[in-house]
Amino acid sequence: MAEIVLVTGANGQLGREFQVLSAQFPHFEFHFFDHSILDISDKEALENAFVSIKPDYVLNCAAYTAVDKAESEQELAFKINSDAVELLAEVTQNFDSKLIHFSTDYVFDGNKNTPYSETDPTNPINVYGHCKLAGEKKLSEHPNALIIRTSWLYSSFGSNFVKTMLRLAENRSELRVVCDQLGTPTYAHDLAKMVLNNLTKLGELGNNIYHYSNEGVCSWYDFAHAIFDISGKDMKLYPVRTEDYPTAAARPIYTVLDKRKIKSLVENKIPYWRNSLKECIDLIKENNE
């Protein structure tokens, strides 16, 4: 009998990738819910969904992700990324299901210059990082909840840095992009595939944290340069420092994630960020998105 997988936030970048991949995993029975169908801050709605579906696994892709906006919408950001996450964990545990929750590299302050491991001290420097960390701390009280931190997520779906750069290339000939923030872009398709390939294994790990991103390191400037290079767009890029490009939310300077822990678990090799970027851009071109 197929194991049942409930996916929240199903119309976001990661949720859409799970939808695309679901056909390749017929041994799972998927149920996809976006916010309009299932509000994870509504306990009664959650319990009704669990009673109806009886999920073995819950993949929580529901999240508040507007980093700059979170500075002025703190209450909403904490409600979605912390309070609702705690509620989801409680209901998941009551129904003896396994929860996999996705968090962020922004729980770190960026003051290291070597990759962050799962045991490194957290110290967020913006509201988004604080509310995601608050959600992590609440999950630490639930033995059935596993956290996967990722970084610089993008996809052929939704709004993200890759699609913004491609859109700007339609009517701009030059751009200034920050060159002194280092991290690793993560193709949401790769993350979703890794999770589904290892779902049973991940579900058995209980209360744990893992880091996942694509391989390699780059700056936002490098990332933008690769986007225009791969897509064949003619764009003149100028590197600027963080201090010359003020944003509402402070950004950590360095958030490369140490993936040794996840590598010891998964069988599939993690793709290099530029190779995955080409896959995504080819797909965007193919779909005329």
Side-chain angles (χ1 to χ4, degrees), residues 243-263:
E243 62 197 35
D244 299 321
Y245 189 80
T247 53
R251 298 309 202 267
I253 293 297
Y254 180 95
T255 58
V256 178
L257 299 175
D258 184 330
K259 296 180 288 288
R260 282 177 292 181
K261 189 175 172 184
I262 197 81
K263 284 180 183 176

Side-chain angles (χ1 to χ4, degrees), residues 41-267:
S41 65
D42 183 335
K43 186 175 183 180
E44 185 180 354
L46 278 176
E47 288 177 339
N48 288 340
F50 274 67
V51 167
S52 171
I53 294 165
K54 298 180 177 61
D56 297 290
Y57 302 98
V58 178
L59 308 180
N60 183 35
C61 303
Y64 181 105
T65 58
V67 177
D68 286 319
K69 224 172 175 182
E71 297 295 313
S72 58
E73 294 184 344
Q74 295 190 29
E75 190 176 335
L76 179 60
F78 272 87
K79 179 186 176 184
I80 298 170
N81 289 345
S82 178
D83 300 341
V85 168
E86 180 180 32
L87 183 59
L88 180 61
E90 287 173 359
V91 175
T92 304
Q93 189 168 312
N94 290 342
F95 282 82
D96 201 26
S97 305
K98 309 292 185 184
L99 173 63
I100 295 176
H101 172 72
F102 299 94
S103 193
T104 175
D105 56 329
Y106 279 20
V107 298
F108 299 112
D109 59 19
N111 291 335
K112 269 189 89 176
N113 54 18
T114 55
Y116 279 96
S117 75
E118 291 82 353
T119 55
D120 278 328
T122 52
N123 185 32
I125 60 173
N126 57 39
V127 171
Y128 173 69
H130 276 289
C131 66
K132 291 295 284 186
L133 180 58
E136 287 192 12
K137 287 179 176 176
K138 287 177 176 177
L139 288 185
S140 68
E141 299 167 15
H142 295 271
N144 64 319
L146 178 134
I147 296 164
I148 298 175
R149 291 184 185 135
T150 191
S151 62
W152 297 22
L153 200 68
Y154 69 92
S155 166
S156 64
F157 302 109
S159 300
N160 53 65
F161 186 77
V162 174
K163 295 184 80 173
T164 297
M165 291 298 104
L166 293 175
R167 177 175 50 80
L168 289 173
E170 298 304 316
N171 48 34
R172 300 271 289 274
S173 59
E174 58 181 53
L175 280 175
R176 285 163 175 74
V177 183
V178 171
C179 66
D180 58 350
Q181 295 172 22
L182 300 179
T184 309
T186 305
Y187 186 22
H189 186 85
D190 292 339
L191 173 56
K193 194 169 187 178
M194 182 280 293
V195 169
L196 293 180
N197 275 328
N198 299 278
L199 189 52
T200 304
K201 207 180 286 185
L202 290 167
E204 292 169 353
L205 293 169
N207 192 278
N208 225 314
I209 299 176
Y210 284 87
H211 285 172
Y212 182 92
S213 67
N214 282 117
E215 292 282 28
V217 180
C218 69
S219 68
W220 290 106
Y221 173 84
D222 299 326
F223 192 12
H225 195 281
I227 291 165
F228 297 126
D229 182 38
I230 291 167
S231 64
K233 303 285 186 184
D234 189 20
M235 176 68 74
K236 193 171 286 186
L237 281 179
Y238 298 96
V240 296
R241 299 182 66 81
T242 297
E243 62 197 35
D244 299 321
Y245 189 80
T247 53
R251 298 309 202 267
I253 293 297
Y254 180 95
T255 58
V256 178
L257 299 175
D258 184 330
K259 296 180 288 288
R260 282 177 292 181
K261 189 175 172 184
I262 197 81
K263 284 180 183 176
S264 69
L265 177 77
V266 304
E267 296 173 8

